[in-house]
Amino acid sequence: MLYPQRNKTREIIELDGIWNFKLDDGQENRLYENPLTDTMMMPVPASYNDIYDDPKIHHHIGGAWYERSVYLPESWSDKRIVLRFGAVTHHAKVWINGQLALEHSGGYTPFEADVSNFLDKDYNNRITVWVDNRLDFTSVPMGKMFQVTEDIKWLKYYFDFYNYAGINRPVVMYCTDQLFIEDVNITTEVEKNNGYVDYVIDTKASDVRLLVKDMEGKLVAKGSGLKGRLSIENVKLWQPLNAYLYTCVVEVYHEEQLIDAYEESFGVRSVEVLNDQFLINGKPFYFKGFGKHEDSDIVGRGYNEALNIRDFSLLKWIGANSFRTSHYPYAEEILKMADREGIVVIGESPAVGLNMNLFQTKDETFDYINLKPIKYPSVWEVAECQDNHIKVMEEMIKRDKNHPSIVMWCVANEPASDDKGAYEYFKPIVNFTRSLDPSRPITIVEYNGALPMTSEVTKLVDVVCLNRYYGWYLATGKLDLAEILLSKELDGWYQMHKKPIIITEYGVDTLHGNTDTIAKLWTEEFQEAYLNLYHKVFDSKKFLIGEHVWNFADFATAEGITRVDGNKKGIFTRNRKPKKAAYLLKDRWHKIDSFYYK
Ligand code: GCB
């Protein structure tokens, strides 16, 4: 799906700003039929949870209503008009002037529709959005409603970040001609000094012309037709931390008149997993960076431009070259920043927490009303989300395929890969992902409990990605033991599978300012000691090709007895202040080149 663009032929109306808002009364009533009454102000984009001092809004489970209106300019009268949401978490229904115009499930990918027929050109059109934050066993991610009595209910979700909801990303209306460019697909190959650009343009138009321009705006290649191959002589490659972007200008003509145009930027680079190396442009790359979150004060998971640029600045400051979009596809704007800054990205789907046992609490394993224990089933016996998982892989790849920064797809984070049924669940999803994008390697991130001989999914992936917490969740505080366990386990994975390994999570909860002469749990000194130990082990393994610390910054989670005001494994606080360990990483990573470290 193309990102909205303003150019010679396309116009945009931004619909961000203050919308009317109210919580659903639980009846899921027909509030879209008339203008909403008794509303409050709600910023868009933002999560609604932390804007007001009202626990009912913060803890809300269920539907919520948003509303605003829009006038269309005269010039749009014979145009195709599209309404597009960057992301609404997790389900949305949208009415225009009381008529249902679009519907979408999946809280981290965009959706749009041609709404021309719903709009009144002479009228202030009312847009009403119903947002639902509930999850179940069919959704990605999964969740479950526990209803003890009519009033006592909670939404259990099987992931460690706050279930922020609302219109979390920008909303726009844009217009195109009736004959328009639907999609632009670009893949590249490199051979000696030449770059090859293979393109496929989706459009009903027949006269399609392409121009490729370099960063100075100089024409470097020209083509025409719906598909083809262009070559760029003396090509400048997109390199980690040294990005170079070309622009492909696609134009559609009718009777020699320009009727639609779209400019897609792309980089020329190659990616390949060969033996125990991850090659970018033919050279072995070493991942240094973080698992992140889209998370900040007040706006929650709402798109936050200033914060995102600040984060890229900190990534550069600390010497990182990559991050993973844990645990959902991030805003398109963030990927554009990564393309431009040369930050390498592992693009992850929202399939987090297909591993309910990791998250069970006493409340869910004991039926208080009938006073008996409840047996927790294996996730593969209850998950009904395979179709939606495939759908979200498709949405993510269709949205993100042209970003040079994305070098690998992560199909899921920490599923119960060692439970019977994991292989059957993942095989069709991985096959589908490969068929849609054969150009990028694939991974599934393994949880603490999965071992080289028990994981059923390692044979499906190109790179083994492990989240490891020896010294924290296991062998708590015993770093000498942690060192032995980590080292042995890493050797075990490599010996058995002969695939390169990235540690996609390692880290400890650390309270900023909590310091001690003895490196005790939760102190800044312990975080440093833990990282030093892991780095010593990493440096002794040639097949270990990357280190992503968990997490870039402290972030909000559901309340719980192991979370003090959220997850504190950040190297930066939630306000982006460095903990002591930030300097340790800065020192280490600036000495590690992106290429040929191993
Ligand atoms: C994990 C999860 C991540 C959690 C982290 C933790 O393995 O992938 O979402 O936040 O552990 O801190 O427990």
Side-chain angles (χ1 to χ4, degrees):
M1 184 190 286
L2 294 178
Y3 186 73
Q5 189 167 93
R6 189 179 276 122
N7 61 29
K8 274 189 269 183
T9 59
R10 295 178 170 223
E11 287 174 59
I12 296 181
I13 299 174
E14 269 105 15
L15 296 176
D16 296 343
I18 300 175
W19 289 52
N20 298 327
F21 176 86
K22 74 192 285 182
L23 292 182
D24 198 295
D25 61 7
Q27 306 304 311
E28 288 166 31
N29 42 27
R30 302 162 70 90
L31 293 190
Y32 55 86
E33 286 177 344
N34 297 300
L36 298 179
T37 52
D38 302 324
T39 58
M40 55 212 303
M41 299 183 290
M42 192 53 78
V44 168
S47 306
Y48 60 69
N49 309 78
D50 292 350
I51 305 289
Y52 285 91
D53 306 292
D54 183 348
K56 278 209 190 93
I57 300 179
H58 178 73
H59 294 300
H60 182 64
I61 302 170
W65 295 88
Y66 284 75
E67 178 197 72
R68 67 160 288 162
S69 53
V70 58
Y71 260 119
L72 298 175
E74 264 309 306
S75 57
W76 288 32
S77 51
D78 55 352
K79 296 282 189 185
R80 166 182 167 262
I81 301 173
V82 178
L83 176 59
R84 185 190 203 267
F85 290 80
V88 177
T89 317
H90 292 279
H91 316 279
K93 276 190 190 182
V94 182
W95 294 263
I96 297 179
N97 303 324
Q99 280 181 283
L100 186 63
L102 57 164
E103 225 176 311
H104 184 258
S105 279
Y108 310 98
T109 37
F111 56 99
E112 64 174 30
D114 177 348
V115 294
S116 316
N117 292 337
F118 297 98
L119 292 163
D120 188 329
K121 312 271 150 81
D122 305 313
Y123 177 77
N124 203 1
N125 294 278
R126 181 164 45 87
I127 305 176
T128 316
V129 182
W130 185 73
V131 176
D132 184 355
N133 66 0
R134 282 170 293 186
L135 297 165
D136 58 25
F137 285 165
T138 69
S139 59
V140 182
M142 279 192 351
K144 185 176 172 178
M145 289 290 293
F146 284 84
Q147 188 107 29
V148 183
T149 65
E150 176 114 11
D151 298 327
I152 305 175
K153 62 175 180 184
W154 70 90
L155 174 68
K156 175 75 190 179
Y157 43 91
Y158 307 99
F159 47 85
D160 182 38
F161 52 91
Y162 194 73
N163 187 34
Y164 280 117
I167 304 182
N168 276 330
R169 293 185 191 156
V171 187
V172 297
M173 238 182 209
Y174 67 89
C175 71
T176 68
D177 192 272
Q178 300 298 342
L179 204 55
F180 61 98
I181 300 159
E182 271 170 59
D183 205 358
V184 177
N185 301 271
I186 296 173
T187 49
T188 63
E189 254 180 53
V190 192
E191 221 176 80
K192 296 205 180 111
N193 283 342
N194 285 342
Y196 295 101
V197 182
D198 291 303
Y199 65 88
V200 179
I201 311 299
D202 293 343
T203 175
K204 296 207 170 58
S206 47
D207 188 354
V208 178
R209 306 178 197 175
L210 282 93
L211 305 173
V212 176
K213 294 186 177 168
D214 68 11
M215 277 177 94
E216 282 96 57
K218 230 175 64 218
L219 184 69
V220 293
K222 233 170 139 171
S224 61
L226 293 177
K227 74 199 260 199
R229 166 170 270 213
L230 305 175
S231 71
I232 305 174
E233 278 173 28
N234 294 323
V235 70
K236 292 207 178 89
L237 298 180
W238 186 94
Q239 301 272 22
L241 300 181
N242 190 11
Y244 193 91
L245 294 173
Y246 290 93
T247 305
C248 179
V249 184
V250 185
E251 293 180 335
V252 158
Y253 287 81
H254 184 64
E255 293 172 354
E256 284 309 309
Q257 237 201 327
L258 178 68
I259 50 175
D260 192 20
Y262 193 85
E263 295 194 0
E264 181 74 328
S265 72
F266 67 97
V268 180
R269 58 113 186 86
S270 67
V271 170
E272 188 188 356
V273 175
L274 191 67
N275 305 323
D276 51 12
Q277 294 185 322
F278 194 101
L279 305 179
I280 299 184
N281 299 328
K283 297 182 289 185
F285 179 72
Y286 191 79
F287 294 79
K288 30 175 197 161
F290 301 94
K292 284 184 96 264
H293 264 300
E294 289 181 291
D295 173 274
S296 60
D297 265 353
I298 305 170
V299 296
R301 204 158 328 287
Y303 178 67
N304 188 336
E305 193 120 277
L307 179 95
N308 292 331
I309 294 181
R310 173 97 188 107
D311 282 5
F312 275 86
S313 159
L314 289 172
L315 287 170
K316 292 276 177 84
W317 174 84
I318 208 167
N321 62 11
S322 52
F323 65 83
R324 175 171 59 120
T325 70
S326 40
H327 292 307
Y328 35 80
Y330 289 1
E332 294 146 278
E333 294 82 356
I334 296 179
L335 299 173
K336 281 177 182 286
M337 289 179 197
D339 289 348
R340 175 178 163 160
E341 297 300 311
I343 296 290
V344 168
V345 175
I346 301 175
E348 184 161 287
S349 89
V352 52
L354 283 161
N355 203 338
M356 295 135 58
N357 292 326
L358 279 183
F359 286 87
Q360 61 184 313
T361 61
K362 269 246 163 346
D363 286 345
E364 293 139 88
T365 49
F366 197 80
D367 175 348
Y368 291 99
I369 298 205
N370 300 304
L371 294 181
K372 60 174 193 203
I374 303 167
K375 188 181 167 300
Y376 231 60
S378 152
V379 65
W380 311 119
E381 286 166 34
V382 294
E384 295 172 47
C385 56
Q386 201 186 37
D387 290 348
N388 279 331
H389 197 157
I390 288 178
K391 177 176 152 256
V392 80
M393 293 308 301
E394 182 173 14
E395 288 184 354
M396 175 170 80
I397 294 171
K398 286 201 166 153
R399 188 195 74 163
D400 296 341
K401 57 190 179 296
N402 294 335
H403 289 288
S405 53
I406 299 192
V407 299
M408 178 155 68
W409 299 120
C410 176
V411 172
N413 180 67
E414 299 200 340
S417 60
D418 52 347
D419 265 8
K420 205 171 159 311
Y423 181 78
E424 289 70 19
Y425 178 87
F426 278 107
K427 188 159 194 295
I429 303 175
V430 170
N431 286 351
F432 174 80
T433 307
R434 269 194 213 291
S435 67
L436 208 56
D437 183 5
S439 77
R440 289 178 175 92
I442 290 175
T443 191
I444 294 172
V445 170
E446 296 276 11
Y447 84 111
N448 250 329
L451 293 170
M453 55 299 236
T454 61
S455 170
E456 293 192 3
V457 301
T458 320
K459 45 184 167 296
L460 296 171
V461 303
D462 303 299
V463 177
V464 172
C465 286
L466 305 174
N467 295 347
R468 288 300 175 263
Y469 289 96
Y470 292 119
W472 187 251
Y473 291 123
L474 299 164
T476 310
K478 302 186 184 68
L479 291 186
D480 42 3
L481 176 58
E483 180 173 349
I484 299 169
L485 297 173
L486 176 68
S487 174
K488 264 187 92 136
E489 198 203 331
L490 289 176
D491 289 342
W493 281 97
Y494 185 66
Q495 275 153 20
M496 188 149 175
H497 297 286
K498 296 282 183 279
K499 294 185 179 181
I501 300 178
I502 301 173
I503 298 290
T504 32
E505 287 183 24
Y506 63 113
V508 291
D509 285 272
T510 306
L511 210 53
H512 184 220
N514 181 27
T515 62
D516 206 331
T517 50
I518 294 169
K520 295 178 194 155
L521 297 186
W522 291 87
T523 63
E524 298 208 26
E525 288 75 13
F526 186 74
Q527 192 176 35
E528 290 178 307
Y530 171 98
L531 293 179
N532 278 330
L533 151 74
Y534 273 63
H535 297 154
K536 185 173 151 206
V537 176
F538 296 168
D539 287 342
S540 70
K541 316 278 177 203
K542 189 156 179 312
F543 53 79
L544 197 127
I545 55 144
E547 49 193 67
H548 276 178
V549 177
W550 189 256
N551 187 284
F552 176 76
D554 294 346
F555 57 93
T557 63
E559 291 167 58
I561 50 173
T562 59
R563 295 288 176 259
V564 187
D565 190 27
N567 187 308
K568 293 283 184 271
K569 295 193 184 70
I571 292 302
F572 298 95
T573 64
R574 206 180 188 207
N575 286 331
R576 278 40 180 179
K577 295 274 180 246
K579 297 180 191 171
K580 275 181 162 185
Y583 296 94
L584 177 161
L585 289 169
K586 182 174 188 284
D587 187 44
R588 172 176 169 81
W589 285 347
H590 278 286
K591 290 187 191 131
I592 296 179
D593 282 338
S594 290
F595 292 116
Y596 295 109
Y597 183 54
K598 296 206 174 144

